Amino acid sequence: MTDRPTSGTPKDTHYAKLRRAHRDRQRQEPSADTGHVTLYGIHTVTAALANPQRRLHQLKATLNALRRMEIDEAAPPCPLEIVEPKKLDAELGGEAVHQGVMLVTEPLEPLRLADLGDARLLLVLDQVTDPHNVGAILRSATAFATDGLVTTARHSPQESGVLAKAASGALEHVPQIEVRNLADALEAISRKGFKTIGLDSEGESTFEDCLDADRIAIVLGAEGKGLRQKTRATCDALARLEMPGAIRSLNVSNAAAVALYATRRRLG
């Protein structure tokens, strides 16, 4: 009679979650030694290769992925290594949907508020830390031609393969502005002529009623916590998305998409 370890116990599940979280952190964080970030996935890498602001270091891809991306093996955009899928699995972890390609690059340089120029539509994130949510928000921001995404230097996810894959190429299209103090930044944004509208399920006004300015900055809080008190006090208005259904709140990335749609219709 052979002893076999019991599978699927709560303890096993706990350790499996810890292992997945560790792998996610490794893929999220640029290397401490090089400062490089590793991107993966067809759309993500194709968009990064097309971005002139990117400093590229190495492309690793299968022959099939190169054909799908229409990259000439004889004239690659950066040093190229042809690999088998199992090598990418080993480097990125089996859970990374790499589609046969990964790119080692430097993170994009964040902009400053002074670089906003004639922007009319901004998204501001108040400690939204989940890279999957931020990636999804970037996709919506790209779809609705958002002029910039404002995040804090702390309590925001770093550029990473996980975030970039969730953004599916949108990381390259939305200027990202990094600030040290969000309340100070919101005041500076307001001085530039933006109306800063914080999304809050308990807001006194509906979101549409607050869209009475030519420059709009939509402020979103983290899942569960929502906007911090100082952020709420600094916004020009707090507004709710009117929802007639049984559920009164949305995931932050879904709320961003709805608010961006309404705002873009107003701004034209």
Side-chain angles (χ1 to χ4, degrees), residues 33-141:
D33 296 330
T34 65
H36 299 164
V37 64
T38 300
L39 309 181
Y40 54 86
I42 295 289
H43 293 303
T44 301
V45 172
T46 299
L49 292 175
N51 185 355
Q53 303 302 317
R54 280 283 181 191
R55 295 184 63 184
L56 312 175
H57 290 283
Q58 186 178 36
L59 178 65
K60 296 184 180 182
T62 64
L63 288 173
N64 183 52
L66 288 179
R67 284 193 292 269
R68 291 179 62 186
M69 298 167 67
E70 299 182 348
I71 292 176
D72 183 357
E73 181 184 349
C78 65
L80 168 67
E81 180 183 349
I82 306 296
V83 296
E84 294 296 323
K86 62 184 179 181
K87 180 165 184 178
L88 298 181
D89 290 340
E91 290 199 40
L92 296 169
E95 296 176 2
V97 185
H98 53 70
Q99 298 174 294
V101 61
M102 63 172 272
L103 175 68
V104 180
T105 177
E106 293 189 20
L108 292 170
E109 196 69 32
L111 304 180
R112 301 171 301 168
L113 289 177
D115 300 319
L116 281 175
D118 56 358
R120 298 181 66 204
L121 175 57
L122 297 178
L123 271 179
V124 182
L125 302 185
D126 181 14
Q127 295 194 355
V128 179
T129 57
D130 185 339
H132 299 91
N133 275 334
V134 175
I137 288 168
L138 280 166
R139 290 187 70 175
S140 296

